[in-house]
Amino acid sequence: MYKFRPKTLFLGQKINYLPTCQSTNDIAASLITGETALDGTVVITDQQTAGRGQRGNQWEAQPGQNLTFSVILQPSFLQPNEQFWLNIAISLGISDWLATHLNDRLKIKWPNDLYVEQRKIGGILIENTLYGYSIAWSVVGIGLNINQTRFQTATATSLINETPNEYDFVLPEALPSLLESLEKRYLSLRAGQRDVLKTNYLQRLFRYQEESDFISGGERFRGMIVGVEESGRLAIQVGEKLRSFAFKEVEFVIE
């Protein structure tokens, strides 16, 4: 089914297609454990029965309507304390592709969700395997809402919902250009172009330099995102105080 090959050096040159599976991340991890994984391998399915999102949430996706896949990478050039740079590169690669349809409406919600205004259109789950002073393997799980029109939550949307003049997207034909965008940003990271990546990430960051409401430890407060630290912690200016939060330590208030 996914016979279209991207114009890439390595990413997506091997595609494992499964009509259905529990989780593409789990399948990708089993390839690594079984020592049959290749750098850039893609595992893609029409239906995940137990797809995972950030914070342990289950990813809602109707069968055959969306892009649900995992990419296997070997980012050995990154040290364990540099894991967030992979988040930046992957988030930008996906947002580059989505922005061709959505323009400036597409934002990256820290750390790596994709939003159109107040609604989530995609999510990323990166699971790393460390070896010594480097990241040996990364499994990058990606879920993008493409042709699905109805969701159980009002805070979810899809590409077809946000581009009403488009016809349904043909998923096997859409995947190659997405993989090309991903590889371009990944190669930029591998080449050490971190300043450009960081600048582009902040330019697309959801609610960057905007007064917003957040929740941390049950406390609701108002502040302004002013940056992201090298470790990936979110820097929020709260009154006269600069506070920083790790993943799961702060939530956005989206109403």
Side-chain angles (χ1 to χ4, degrees):
M1 183 176 182
Y2 284 87
K3 297 180 180 179
F4 297 89
R5 286 294 180 268
K7 297 176 182 178
T8 58
L9 294 177
F10 71 100
L11 205 157
Q13 291 303 310
K14 181 174 177 57
I15 296 178
N16 291 355
Y17 165 68
L18 302 168
T20 183
C21 70
Q22 285 193 333
S23 162
T24 57
N25 264 32
D26 288 349
I27 298 296
S30 70
L31 294 177
I32 294 172
T33 302
E35 299 183 350
T36 58
L38 296 175
D39 194 13
T41 295
V42 171
V43 179
I44 190 164
T45 187
D46 291 331
Q47 181 181 15
Q48 286 192 121
T49 58
R52 301 190 302 280
Q54 295 284 12
R55 303 180 186 273
N57 296 328
Q58 187 168 351
W59 182 255
E60 176 195 354
Q62 292 177 356
Q65 297 299 302
N66 306 304
L67 284 171
T68 49
F69 64 100
S70 297
V71 178
I72 298 173
L73 297 172
Q74 288 184 288
S76 57
F77 56 90
L78 292 175
Q79 297 181 7
N81 63 355
E82 298 176 319
Q83 295 181 50
F84 193 74
W85 284 102
L86 187 58
N87 287 37
I88 289 177
I90 297 298
S91 299
L92 284 172
I94 296 172
S95 68
D96 288 342
W97 184 78
L98 286 172
T100 61
H101 301 280
L102 300 168
N103 300 314
D104 293 339
R105 300 172 61 211
L106 193 282
K107 297 294 182 182
I108 301 171
K109 177 176 165 288
W110 177 89
N112 49 20
D113 283 336
L114 289 308
Y115 265 60
V116 182
E117 296 166 356
Q118 308 299 313
R119 296 177 297 279
K120 184 174 179 178
I121 195 171
I124 303 164
L125 177 64
I126 301 178
E127 297 174 313
N128 296 316
T129 301
L130 308 181
Y131 183 79
Y133 294 100
S134 65
I135 302 175
W137 294 96
S138 292
V139 176
V140 181
I142 298 169
L144 295 180
N145 298 331
I146 305 296
N147 291 322
Q148 185 171 336
T149 57
R150 295 184 180 181
F151 297 89
Q152 295 179 4
T153 171
T155 57
T157 190
S158 66
L159 191 54
I160 198 69
N161 279 351
E162 300 298 331
T163 55
N165 295 325
E166 300 274 3
Y167 294 99
D168 284 3
F169 294 87
V170 181
L171 300 183
E173 295 180 7
L175 182 65
S177 58
L178 172 56
L179 296 178
E180 290 160 17
S181 292
L182 281 170
E183 186 183 79
K184 183 178 179 179
R185 289 293 190 170
Y186 181 76
L187 292 178
S188 293
L189 176 61
R190 196 165 73 180
Q193 298 173 358
R194 296 188 177 187
D195 288 345
V196 174
L197 292 170
K198 184 69 171 291
T199 297
N200 292 165
Y201 183 82
L202 292 177
Q203 288 171 339
R204 288 191 181 160
L205 192 60
F206 180 69
R207 293 183 179 174
Y208 178 55
Q209 295 184 331
E210 297 178 11
E211 286 284 342
S212 305
D213 289 332
F214 303 88
I215 296 176
S216 178
E219 169 202 2
R220 180 165 175 162
F221 64 92
R222 193 159 182 82
M224 178 186 295
I225 297 173
V226 294
V228 178
E229 298 175 358
E230 293 293 304
S231 63
R233 294 175 67 91
L234 187 67
I236 301 178
Q237 188 72 41
V238 183
E240 299 297 321
K241 185 177 181 181
L242 181 63
R243 301 172 63 181
S244 67
F245 299 88
F247 178 58
K248 295 186 179 180
E249 290 184 349
V250 66
E251 296 180 25
F252 290 75
V253 176
I254 299 178
E255 298 173 331

